[in-house]
Amino acid sequence: MRLTDAGHLLAQHARVLLSAAEAAQADLAALGGDIRGTVRAGGLQSAARRLLIPAVARLKAEHPQVRVEIFELELEQSLPGLRLGTVDLVIGDEYDSHPRPRPAGLRFTLLLEEPLRIVLPAAHPLARPGGPVAMADLRSDIWAASAEGTGHHAMVVGTCRALGGYEPDLRHRSNDADVQLELVRAATAVALMPALTLPRDDPALAIRDIAETTLRRRLVAATRDTPPAPALIALLAAVTDQVHELRV
């Protein structure tokens, strides 16, 4: 299905009207002095756990009249709601060599860059030396990654092809980082995961650098490209403060 010329024209006017309405709401909210209102925010699991939830706790103490609604969702699924106004903030990710599209009408702000690490079972033969592990040496292993269609899935497949020269045996798919880690522990899979998702000390896991290169994940905050309401500004500030407290 495609929009007609009249449909495209109406869509352009709708964007203008929605932007004007959001600007008016932001101006009215600022007049009151107190920060109040509802903010709907979503993000992938690691961002929700490590950034959004601590930010909500901080916001509840500092601005108790702000209502924050949190949901877990991948960036690909969230962008339509963000553009339509049913979502106010989305924290998503992108990987080296796998940039995200930047749809018109949205603003993307870099929050955090973190390295990707190879995760092996502690008993894996390549875990014993303790140094970096070459992707080429994981050709025969079973892999765990996020679901097909996500940035993480594309990154794992692309990295195995580019650095190892093989198609990974990707048997296990879950968007839950804890499930991927348990597959490494119990099912002797291997994974390629961002530092933010990893436990600090787990004797069942061996976390190693990639030998061939350094790959990174970037967390980005996506909002509409309109004047933000004070409640959204407050949540973004709390998220930014939480980023500064992280050690990855």
Side-chain angles (χ1 to χ4, degrees):
M1 297 178 66
R2 292 183 297 175
L3 289 175
T4 64
D5 290 342
H8 283 293
L9 182 61
L10 286 175
Q12 292 173 4
H13 284 290
R15 282 193 289 269
V16 173
L17 291 171
L18 287 172
S19 296
E22 288 194 350
Q25 290 174 349
D27 289 342
L28 286 172
L31 283 176
D34 292 337
I35 297 178
R36 63 179 67 219
T38 299
V39 182
R40 295 167 293 273
L44 65 163
Q45 185 202 54
S46 57
R49 177 181 295 175
R50 301 292 300 277
L51 298 181
L52 282 174
I53 293 174
V56 170
R58 180 176 304 198
L59 207 63
K60 185 175 181 181
E62 296 176 355
H63 303 291
Q65 298 190 75
V66 174
R67 171 188 171 95
V68 183
E69 299 175 3
I70 298 294
F71 57 91
E72 182 185 331
L73 206 59
E74 293 287 332
L75 185 64
E76 297 89 347
Q77 301 166 305
S78 304
L79 290 183
L82 185 61
R83 299 184 70 179
L84 289 172
T86 58
V87 182
D88 302 302
L89 166 67
V90 176
I91 299 180
D93 60 1
E94 63 180 13
Y95 297 87
D96 287 344
S97 302
H98 294 83
R100 297 283 194 179
R102 298 287 193 264
L106 299 181
R107 179 185 295 118
F108 292 82
T109 304
L110 177 65
L111 295 174
L112 175 70
E113 285 191 332
E114 56 178 338
L116 294 170
R117 312 290 299 279
I118 294 172
V119 187
L120 308 170
H124 194 287
L126 295 176
R128 293 169 190 161
V133 172
M135 293 294 299
D137 292 338
L138 300 173
R139 177 186 298 270
S140 301
D141 283 272
I142 297 168
W143 283 83
S146 296
E148 191 171 358
T150 63
H152 182 263
H153 184 281
M155 178 275 298
V156 170
V157 173
T159 300
C160 290
R161 289 172 179 169
L163 299 182
Y166 59 90
E167 199 72 21
D169 182 2
L170 215 169
R171 299 187 194 181
H172 309 303
R173 298 174 179 85
S174 173
N175 292 347
D176 189 321
D178 288 338
V179 171
Q180 291 188 38
L181 291 171
E182 190 61 23
L183 285 164
V184 176
R185 294 186 192 98
T188 63
V190 299
L192 188 57
M193 303 181 68
L196 200 64
T197 65
L198 300 176
R200 295 202 176 276
D201 187 18
D202 187 331
L205 300 175
I207 299 170
R208 300 289 183 262
D209 291 329
I210 303 169
E212 292 92 342
T213 188
T214 298
L215 296 178
R216 293 186 174 274
R217 177 178 80 156
R218 287 171 291 281
L219 291 183
V220 293
T223 57
R224 285 181 295 282
D225 193 13
T226 55
L232 177 56
I233 293 174
L235 178 59
L236 286 169
V239 168
T240 301
D241 289 343
Q242 182 62 24
V243 168
H244 291 158
E245 293 180 8
L246 288 176
R247 296 178 181 178
V248 294

